[in-house]
Amino acid sequence: MFIAANFMAIMDTTIVNVALPALGRDFAVDTSGLSSVNVGYLVAMAVCIPVSGWLTHRFGTRRTTLTALLLFTVASALCATAGSMPSLTGYRVLQGVGGGLLAPVGMTMMLRAFPVAERLRAQKYVMLPTAVAPALGPVLGGWLVDTVSWHWVFLVNLPVGALALLFGLWTLPDFPGPGAPRFDLPGFVLAGGGFAAVLSALTRAPDRGWGSEYVLVPLLGGTALLALTVPWELCTPHPMIDLRILDDQLFRTTQLSLLPMGAAFVGVLYLYPQFLQTGLGYDALHSGLATFPEALGMLTASQLASLLHDRVGPSRLMTAGGGAATLVIVFLAIGVGALPSLVLYPSMYLLGCSVGLLFANGQNAAFVTVPAARTADATTLLNMQRQLAGACGVALAATLAAGGFRTGLLTMAGVSGCACVLALRVNDRRVRDGYRADAAQDAPDESMRMGHAADP
């Protein structure tokens, strides 16, 4: 259920892009007015991610997930029936509220359901939405808009959402939290408002320019709010976002590596299809198909990660993945346009394999030493980092594209190289110790079960 729900939430960040021209024609809105459709969705997600941990502690994972899924599905139906741009923007905000809760709460359920030693096996399936949804969105959206209408980029969510909701009501277990403390209203305003303002500025920057008041004001204001969030959350006894989780060295170092790689990967996915269309004459559908092999590569990497993890160690695998991704991006920057188009497909596949290797091992290692009771706090920070990385990657790539696509791709290669270097700091010994500690914790429980079974 989590995979289906998360797939919808992630795909909706890209599938709507190809429908924007049709929306502009139907609602008689220019390009600048269309941005509210995506900005509203992303800002709502940004506001809700920080509060997801508190809701999990207060209501448990089952109720929070099912409510978020219901809200997302109903909002999708409302989006399809919108008769004006303001109403569509409002419904997209509701979608963002549901989508902002689905990913962190669903990840919390996965981490609580699987022991540390089995999480990489679960990653094979959990990475499916992360790998496929962003690449499938433009392809599916373009086909739906061309063959039916823009309404179907929202209607496509309804059968998936309904089935996932029914399946969740029937089978979804609950992982109740330790009980929610007093709601941290100042922390919510500072973190949610600051995060939303920064993401809004980064989303608008490529179109309006970094010097625009619509970018500078929310960017500076949001940064100030986030700066104030840190001392407040560290001092308050019941923080909205428990920043003390960053004291965990393994969680902190993996996040530092995942952030630049996420930015570089999303930046490449932004630049590459545009170059295919403007530089090589591809249409939207074929540029999406040419990008899709990266999703297959990421799925391959999720299989390889579980096989190589124990033999090689996460630090080496993350470093190898980051280094290989950097080389592939450099190759694309230098060779695209000068090489046969068939070379592009295996190149994108290799990029997906490389990035997936870093993501799978990094996300698994991040939670090895995090106690079960704090997984909701850790997944909140992870998803905030993921959203920020994607927004920064698109903003940077779009800004650099004005100077040429090769310049943009080479810059993304440099960002990817930073992730490779930071991956060297991941401590494999701490990962092994975390596995041993988890196994030792499970051993007494198993022996007690055996002992009870032997009692007359």
Side-chain angles (χ1 to χ4, degrees):
M1 193 216 81
F2 163 57
I3 294 173
N6 201 29
F7 191 97
M8 289 192 305
I10 294 176
M11 188 172 68
D12 257 57
T13 61
T14 60
I15 193 173
V16 178
N17 290 338
V18 296
L20 291 179
L23 287 169
R25 289 191 298 270
D26 277 14
F27 295 141
V29 177
D30 59 17
T31 303
S32 61
L34 291 171
S35 63
S36 62
V37 175
N38 280 335
V39 172
Y41 181 78
L42 293 173
V43 167
M45 289 184 71
V47 171
C48 289
I49 288 174
V51 79
S52 62
W54 185 88
L55 290 172
T56 301
H57 291 317
R58 174 67 177 83
F59 299 105
T61 56
R62 176 183 168 87
R63 279 194 288 177
T64 305
T65 301
L66 292 177
T67 302
L69 180 58
L70 177 63
L71 181 60
F72 186 91
T73 306
V74 170
S76 297
L78 292 173
C79 287
T81 61
S84 66
M85 184 57 63
S87 62
L88 178 59
T89 300
Y91 297 147
R92 282 285 280 171
V93 169
L94 287 179
Q95 256 195 328
V97 172
L101 296 175
L102 282 173
V105 179
M107 186 174 291
T108 299
M109 284 194 298
M110 188 274 289
L111 293 169
R112 296 286 297 275
F114 288 90
V116 170
E118 297 182 16
R119 287 176 185 169
L120 265 178
R121 182 166 57 87
Q123 287 270 19
K124 299 177 183 179
Y125 310 102
V126 174
M127 280 191 68
L128 179 65
T130 305
V132 178
L136 182 62
V139 178
L140 179 61
W143 180 75
L144 289 172
V145 171
D146 289 342
T147 58
V148 196
S149 71
W150 64 263
H151 303 82
W152 281 88
V153 301
F154 302 109
L155 291 174
V156 72
N157 291 331
L158 301 189
V160 180
L163 289 175
L165 193 60
L166 291 173
F167 185 77
L169 286 168
W170 182 34
T171 65
L172 195 65
D174 191 23
F175 298 98
R182 176 176 55 84
F183 186 78
D184 177 21
L185 182 58
F188 173 68
V189 173
L190 291 171
F195 193 49
V198 169
L199 285 188
S200 174
L202 292 173
T203 304
R204 294 176 185 271
D207 293 329
R208 296 185 177 268
W210 290 94
S212 168
E213 62 184 24
Y214 297 100
V215 175
L216 280 179
V217 172
L219 182 61
L220 296 176
T223 302
L225 289 176
L226 291 178
L228 292 172
T229 301
V230 176
W232 173 262
E233 297 292 68
L234 291 177
C235 293
T236 186
H238 305 296
M240 174 64 61
I241 303 174
D242 189 0
L243 296 177
R244 296 177 184 87
I245 199 76
L246 293 174
D247 291 339
D248 186 309
Q249 191 266 350
L250 190 56
F251 182 81
R252 185 176 65 251
T253 54
T254 51
Q255 297 312 297
L256 288 175
S257 180
L258 290 171
L259 177 62
M261 180 52 73
F265 184 55
V266 174
V268 171
L269 293 184
Y270 176 86
L271 289 169
Y272 182 71
Q274 289 201 45
F275 179 80
L276 293 181
Q277 293 180 57
T278 60
L280 300 183
Y282 283 44
D283 58 25
L285 178 61
H286 286 87
S287 68
L289 291 173
T291 308
F292 192 75
E294 60 81 16
L296 302 178
M298 290 192 74
L299 293 178
T300 302
S302 67
Q303 308 294 317
L304 293 174
S306 60
L307 297 175
L308 299 175
H309 181 272
D310 293 337
R311 302 180 200 173
V312 182
S315 178
R316 292 178 182 175
L317 289 173
M318 291 175 67
T319 304
T326 303
L327 293 176
V328 172
I329 298 172
V330 171
F331 174 78
L332 288 173
I334 296 174
V336 72
L339 295 171
S341 58
L342 289 177
V343 177
L344 303 178
Y345 292 85
S347 299
M348 291 304 292
Y349 177 81
L350 289 175
L351 179 63
C353 281
S354 305
V355 174
L357 205 58
L358 188 143
F359 279 173
N361 286 279
Q363 290 184 13
N364 180 72
F367 294 94
V368 167
T369 53
V370 174
R374 304 185 72 186
T375 51
D377 300 313
T379 55
T380 297
L381 285 172
L382 173 64
N383 280 276
M384 290 181 69
Q385 171 265 118
R386 182 182 294 170
Q387 290 293 323
L388 182 62
C392 287
V394 171
L396 180 60
T399 302
L400 293 169
F405 288 103
R406 283 189 173 85
T407 301
L409 287 172
L410 289 173
T411 304
M412 293 300 108
V415 176
S416 174
C418 292
C420 175
V421 173
L422 290 169
L424 292 169
R425 301 183 65 243
V426 175
N427 193 320
D428 286 349
R429 181 178 58 80
R430 286 180 179 269
V431 177
R432 289 193 296 269
D433 291 345
Y435 277 113
R436 294 193 189 101
D438 184 71
Q441 186 176 0
D442 289 342
D445 297 336
E446 182 65 26
S447 62
M448 289 177 64
R449 288 194 295 270
M450 293 176 66
H452 287 307
D455 288 342

